[in-house]
Amino acid sequence: MDGSVPASAPVLAAYRYCEAVTGQQARNFAYGIRLLPVEKRQAMSALYAFSRRVDDIGDGALPADTKRERLEETRALLARIHGEEIAEDDTDPVAVALSDAARRFPIPLGGLDELIDGVLMDVRGASYETWGDLKVYCRCVAGAIGRLSLGVFGTVEGAGEREAGRAAEYADTLGLALQLTNILRDIREDAEGGRTYLPADDLAKFGCSAGFRGVEHPPEGSDFNGLVHYEVRRAQALFASGFRLLPLLDRRSGACVAAMAGIYRRLLDRIAAEPAAVLRGRVSLPGREKAYVAVRGLSGLDARHVSRHLSRQAARGRA
């Protein structure tokens, strides 16, 4: 793990369980974390497995009251993890793995409380009037994951104190970019489930207030393309800011982030090129394109590109 104390057999078994969950249920996430060294990959798998449990409660078919009860039980389990009350032979492998990961890395476990808060918003059927409202939700369900992940990645030695101090902000912003991309990709699927995430004032601005349930083509009289391009530009700005995290990470952590974020950034480009496609089904990238993104990340091309861009910005500021 971090080189201090080797993991015991029960802890290693718990990590294997979490890695299996991640490999089966998180294709894009699993694609990125395979670039990490073993100890960080295991910790990220533990974070994913716990987060997945929370998401599955929110997305399941249970009555709302039962979902709220299960989420609060999960919050109580998180408190036990935070209090280092989970034994290595506990029967919950996710709790065992996450407890060990939290001892080895400075993971801000409060971010998982935020995730539970965000899923509770879904259970209540929350809707969002403005981007500011939606941003609160996105910070809970995705920005928090960025900050949790940064606890595993850490920042490189030699990073400027000011920039290193902003690493959590960049990680949070990158999470927002990924979540907004998810929202655009899943417009139809969410509508069929009775959920609308895009801000009501944006929908009204482009004539889409009626929503997209049972719709395979843009609503008559709407500017659906305009709506999608408006949200795409917002996500692009979030990606541009969030990518400032890359030069602050070590090579393999940076490769992991560049791979995961790069897949979603290309997905966003695909949505922008054909907005109506999101009404016909889920837009995705082929495996070969994901592999290309991973190679770019591992080579450090993305981090170097961001560093050069920031250097040019600084030079213009001094001129």
Side-chain angles (χ1 to χ4, degrees):
M1 308 301 294
D2 66 352
S4 53
V5 180
S8 66
V11 171
L12 288 174
Y15 278 126
R16 283 195 294 272
Y17 174 85
C18 292
E19 288 185 295
V21 170
T22 304
Q24 291 165 7
Q25 302 190 42
R27 286 168 295 181
N28 290 342
F29 187 83
Y31 213 95
I33 68 170
R34 72 177 61 178
L35 303 174
L36 293 170
V38 171
E39 66 278 5
K40 291 186 177 183
R41 185 175 70 242
Q42 290 173 330
M44 291 294 288
S45 294
L47 278 172
Y48 175 82
F50 190 94
S51 302
R52 183 72 195 200
R53 178 179 295 179
V54 174
D55 286 340
D56 284 348
I57 294 170
D59 292 337
L62 296 169
D65 286 347
T66 305
K67 288 182 178 182
R68 284 191 286 269
E69 182 180 335
R70 295 280 179 88
L71 287 167
E72 292 306 333
E73 288 171 356
T74 306
R75 198 192 297 275
L77 174 62
L78 179 62
R80 290 181 57 219
I81 293 170
H82 205 291
E84 300 187 12
E85 299 172 13
I86 304 297
E88 289 188 354
D89 60 353
D90 193 281
T91 56
D92 186 336
V94 177
V96 171
L98 185 56
S99 295
D100 187 76
R103 283 193 290 269
R104 296 173 184 275
F105 296 97
I107 299 171
L109 290 176
L112 291 169
D113 266 312
E114 292 181 56
L115 174 63
I116 293 171
D117 291 338
V119 173
L120 282 168
M121 292 181 202
D122 282 334
V123 173
R124 291 195 300 269
S127 57
Y128 307 96
E129 290 296 317
T130 67
W131 165 238
D133 296 333
L134 179 59
K135 191 156 55 171
V136 172
Y137 169 77
C138 291
R139 283 219 158 93
C140 286
V141 300
I145 301 302
R147 286 177 266 121
L148 286 158
S149 301
L150 182 63
V152 175
F153 297 144
T155 55
V156 291
E157 291 183 15
E161 183 176 338
R162 181 171 177 272
E163 283 299 291
R166 297 186 68 180
E169 175 189 330
Y170 299 145
D172 182 276
T173 301
L174 202 51
L176 265 62
L178 269 61
Q179 186 62 23
L180 184 51
T181 303
N182 267 338
I183 287 170
L184 289 171
R185 180 194 63 187
D186 296 340
I187 281 177
R188 180 178 175 182
E189 181 179 325
D190 290 332
E192 295 303 323
R195 293 177 179 173
T196 300
Y197 290 101
L198 291 178
D201 59 0
D202 292 354
L203 294 171
K205 186 185 305 182
F206 293 95
C208 295
S209 294
F212 308 104
R213 192 165 193 168
V215 171
E216 293 188 13
H217 304 284
E220 187 174 350
S222 71
D223 182 11
F224 181 75
N225 285 8
L227 171 67
V228 171
H229 288 143
Y230 182 78
E231 304 299 346
V232 163
R233 287 192 296 273
R234 176 175 279 153
Q236 287 171 337
L238 292 168
F239 273 115
S241 179
F243 274 138
R244 296 166 75 99
L245 176 65
L246 293 180
L248 303 178
L249 304 177
D250 66 70
R251 178 172 172 268
R252 292 177 71 175
S253 295
C256 171
V257 173
M260 287 189 290
I263 287 168
Y264 279 89
R265 183 64 178 78
R266 284 173 174 266
L267 185 61
L268 188 68
D269 290 342
R270 185 160 292 197
I271 292 169
E274 191 181 358
V278 299
L279 298 178
R280 298 193 296 269
R282 175 172 284 204
V283 179
S284 62
L285 297 183
R288 63 181 180 278
E289 193 166 348
K290 291 180 182 179
Y292 170 74
V293 173
V295 170
R296 273 187 63 93
L298 195 57
S299 70
L301 280 173
D302 295 305
R304 289 197 295 273
H305 173 76
V306 173
S307 294
R308 287 195 297 269
H309 176 69
L310 294 176
S311 296
R312 287 195 296 269
Q313 280 188 325
R316 285 197 297 269
R318 291 192 296 269

